[in-house]
Amino acid sequence: MGIAADIAVIVFAGFVGGVVAQRLRQPLILGYIAAGVVLGPLTGGRLVSDPHDVELLAEIGVALLLFALGIEFSLKELRPVRAVALAGTSIQLLLTIGAAAGVGLLLGWPWTDAVWFGACVSLSSTMVILKTLQSQGRLGTLSSRVMIGMLLVQDLAVVPLLILLPKLTDLQAGLPDLGWALVRAALFLAVMIVAGTRVLPALLRRVSLWNSRELFVLTVTGLALGIGYLTHKVGLSFALGSFVAGIVISESDHAHQALSDVIPLRDVFGLLFFASVGMLLDPVYLKAHLDLVLGLALAVAVIKAAVCAGVGRAFGYRNVVPLALALTMFQAGEFAFVIGRTGVAAGALAPEMNTLIMSVALVLMFATPFVSRATAPVYGAWRRRRTEEPVQTINITHDELHDHAVLVGVGRVGAAAAGVLREAGVPFVAVELDQHRLETCRDAGLPVIFGDAGHPVVLEAAGVARAKLLLVALGAEESARAVVRHAVSLNPGLAIVARAETEEAARDLAGLGVGEVVLTQVQAGVAMGRLGVEKV
């Protein structure tokens, strides 16, 4: 059956790996990667006939992920991080390439191999980072927006790297090609943004008038992949074109429907991507060179973590943002495989060196969910050592903090809760760590404290010990549990209401002392049902 049989085997293996990861309370992507390792030809698996075809299909997963992301993130949200995205990412790439190449030279590699190695590991994994942030409920935070801006510029940087690296020994010959590629890229993006904002929304509106759900799904998918293909033809990243298409469609009235239609496809092809990554692992090579691979992986992780954190700090980001950049963007990404294959095909990179680079990248990608998860506890420990710093408060005096409510998290759910409290005349103070949301609260006149509510000092500043009610509107389960634990220790009799996305998370929160747990999606369905019954 060829590729059809390969897809069937991978999807079933991914399902098994996902179930195991879920039972172990690990991100699903780890289960998908493990399934790919088991099925991979280098591991001895013979169930997948052509892993290269699977790799090609996996590119669709990356494109659909960025298309969906483009719909959810408008240009207005990315505009505040444009400085760190453009200038900061350029600095990060140059510093990472230089430092990683220096490691290669210390190991006695030829300077060309060292530069290839530095270029491959300088690019982080868009797919792994976005799925990790999504599983942790951190999409929409300031740190996630900074990461997304930097990842997009890294994707753009692939073009000049692919042009210049094969011509390292004669860079002058590559400069005209690079200049022409940049001109083509600028023209294409300008046409897409200017013309696309007029054409694509009108096309979706016309298709929706035909009342054919099937045709609408095909239109959305066709735009995501078709524009990605056009971008590829002009020399840019396939995934980048899909992201631009998503941004254009985000200005349309049909953006939400387009997003809901593409999500199932995105998740299935995303599974293929992570499985294809696992198939690249060569256990025999890894076992024979384990010390070298782990040593290089650690060196790359330390270099990139230090560089990314330093760049974030240099561009004015404080608190948790530099730490989040360090512990999430430290890995090498999927473009390391693309650059490595290009080097081998051009005869500029030995196959053994490419295998080493892939092994290092795979180890780092697999470690990302574990390391990224440490952001909150590490930041909390750091804050505990700096208790002498005053907590920033806005629109509030500490004399007001008696018999009040404390609202943790002012995202969409928290903002709605704040509106209800304000309308009912219940005195409250909000706690928010995201700078953008903090400014929104300040402009709205809401009493708000800037800080991590998982830190006892911040909860003390919010007057939790004297409060009557705590509302935890955080989407991240680990952060919510930390807040509840500290709040209960400060005020054992405190009434607590928290949100949860899954029944398992609801049970965990109830076990910590939460009196009422709101299952967000379930409550939305119940509300719709009640409104429907009233209409009957």
Side-chain angles (χ1 to χ4, degrees):
M1 290 178 64
I3 188 64
D6 292 345
I7 293 175
V9 169
I10 292 171
V11 170
F12 181 76
F15 161 72
V16 175
V19 169
V20 173
Q22 178 70 21
R23 296 296 298 172
L24 296 176
R25 295 191 175 186
Q26 300 301 323
L28 295 181
I29 61 174
L30 296 182
Y32 301 156
I33 294 175
V37 172
V38 172
L39 295 176
L42 300 175
T43 313
R46 294 289 182 267
L47 294 176
V48 176
S49 59
D50 194 343
H52 180 63
D53 286 346
V54 177
E55 289 179 42
L56 297 177
L57 286 174
E59 292 185 22
I60 297 177
V62 181
L64 291 177
L65 177 71
L66 282 175
F67 176 72
L69 184 70
I71 294 176
E72 293 180 287
F73 284 82
S74 67
L75 288 174
K76 294 179 181 178
E77 291 178 311
L78 292 176
R79 193 173 296 126
V81 300
R82 63 184 180 275
V84 69
L86 295 172
T89 306
S90 301
I91 295 171
Q92 176 263 313
L93 290 173
L94 291 174
L95 291 178
T96 304
I97 292 173
V103 172
L105 293 175
L106 289 176
L107 293 174
W109 298 350
W111 74 270
T112 52
D113 285 358
V115 173
W116 275 92
F117 174 73
C120 287
V121 301
S122 67
L123 304 169
S124 302
S125 173
T126 301
M127 191 73 163
V128 171
I129 289 176
L130 292 182
K131 292 295 285 185
T132 298
L133 294 175
Q134 188 180 54
S135 67
Q136 295 175 358
R138 289 165 54 196
L139 279 177
T141 63
L142 178 60
S143 58
S144 73
R145 285 196 292 272
V146 173
M147 289 182 214
I148 290 167
M150 295 182 70
L151 288 169
L152 292 174
V153 176
Q154 286 185 1
D155 287 350
L156 283 170
V158 173
V159 177
L161 287 176
L162 290 177
I163 292 173
L164 294 178
L165 285 173
K167 300 177 181 178
L168 278 178
T169 54
D170 187 13
L171 288 178
Q172 282 189 332
L175 292 179
D177 294 338
L178 176 60
W180 175 233
L182 293 177
V183 170
R184 292 200 313 269
L187 289 174
F188 181 81
L189 292 176
V191 170
M192 270 301 306
I193 292 175
V194 175
T197 52
R198 294 173 173 80
V199 175
L200 299 189
L203 175 62
L204 290 177
R205 185 166 54 251
R206 174 60 62 89
V207 172
S208 66
L209 291 175
W210 294 335
N211 293 321
S212 172
R213 178 69 179 274
E214 181 179 355
L215 189 58
F216 188 85
V217 173
L218 289 174
T219 303
V220 170
T221 308
L223 289 174
L225 301 181
I227 293 175
Y229 176 73
L230 289 176
T231 312
H232 170 71
K233 294 300 289 184
V234 300
L236 290 175
S237 162
F238 183 83
L240 179 65
S242 298
F243 179 78
V244 173
I247 285 183
V248 171
I249 291 176
S250 71
E251 306 300 325
S252 165
D253 295 334
H254 301 84
H256 296 295
Q257 183 60 45
L259 178 62
S260 65
D261 286 339
V262 82
I263 282 176
L265 286 172
R266 177 200 68 185
D267 291 341
V268 171
F269 280 98
L271 183 157
L272 293 178
F273 168 80
F274 289 109
S276 69
V277 167
M279 290 180 189
L280 296 175
L281 183 67
D282 186 346
V284 175
Y285 179 88
L286 184 61
K287 182 179 179 181
H289 303 84
L290 185 61
D291 292 344
L292 177 61
V293 171
L294 294 182
L296 284 174
L298 179 60
V300 170
V302 171
I303 289 170
K304 288 195 70 174
V307 170
C308 290
V311 166
R313 184 82 177 180
F315 279 81
Y317 295 96
R318 299 291 185 268
N319 300 298
V320 76
V321 174
L323 180 64
L325 294 178
L327 297 184
T328 308
M329 296 190 69
F330 66 90
Q331 84 290 115
E334 52 271 10
F335 281 115
F337 310 137
V338 176
I339 294 175
R341 282 199 301 265
T342 301
V344 172
L349 190 66
E352 294 78 12
M353 178 60 67
N354 185 43
T355 302
L356 175 61
I357 292 172
M358 287 195 298
S359 299
V360 171
L362 284 167
V363 168
L364 292 172
M365 291 170 74
F366 196 85
T368 299
F370 298 106
V371 177
S372 179
R373 188 180 295 172
T375 301
V378 170
Y379 179 68
W382 177 79
R383 292 287 297 181
R384 281 191 290 274
R385 300 184 63 181
R386 298 175 63 87
T387 55
E388 72 279 1
E389 289 188 354
V391 178
Q392 179 185 357
T393 63
I394 299 173
N395 300 327
I396 187 175
T397 63
H398 289 280
D399 295 338
E400 301 171 354
L401 301 180
H402 295 278
D403 298 330
H404 61 292
V406 177
L407 171 62
V408 178
V410 199
R412 284 178 293 185
V413 175
V420 174
L421 293 173
R422 203 179 213 184
E423 185 177 345
V426 176
F428 74 96
V429 58
V431 180
E432 180 55 62
L433 185 59
D434 185 279
Q435 183 66 35
H436 177 72
R437 293 173 183 169
L438 182 78
E439 294 172 358
T440 301
C441 292
R442 179 193 61 199
D443 296 340
L446 295 180
V448 61
I449 292 175
F450 178 75
D452 180 3
H455 193 300
V457 172
V458 176
L459 290 177
E460 289 172 3
V464 164
R466 303 180 301 279
K468 282 189 173 181
L469 173 66
L470 172 66
L471 302 176
V472 184
L474 298 174
E477 296 177 10
E478 292 184 10
S479 299
R481 288 195 290 267
V483 171
V484 171
R485 278 194 294 266
H486 292 310
V488 170
S489 67
L490 293 170
N491 187 348
L494 183 66
I496 305 177
V497 179
R499 64 175 284 195
E501 300 299 326
T502 64
E503 293 185 359
E504 184 178 12
R507 287 193 296 269
D508 290 344
L509 289 171
L512 293 173
V514 176
E516 297 289 341
V517 180
V518 178
L519 281 164
T520 312
Q521 297 179 358
V522 174
Q523 292 296 327
V526 171
M528 290 180 62
R530 287 174 178 171
L531 290 173
V533 170
E534 291 176 2
K535 298 294 183 181
V536 176

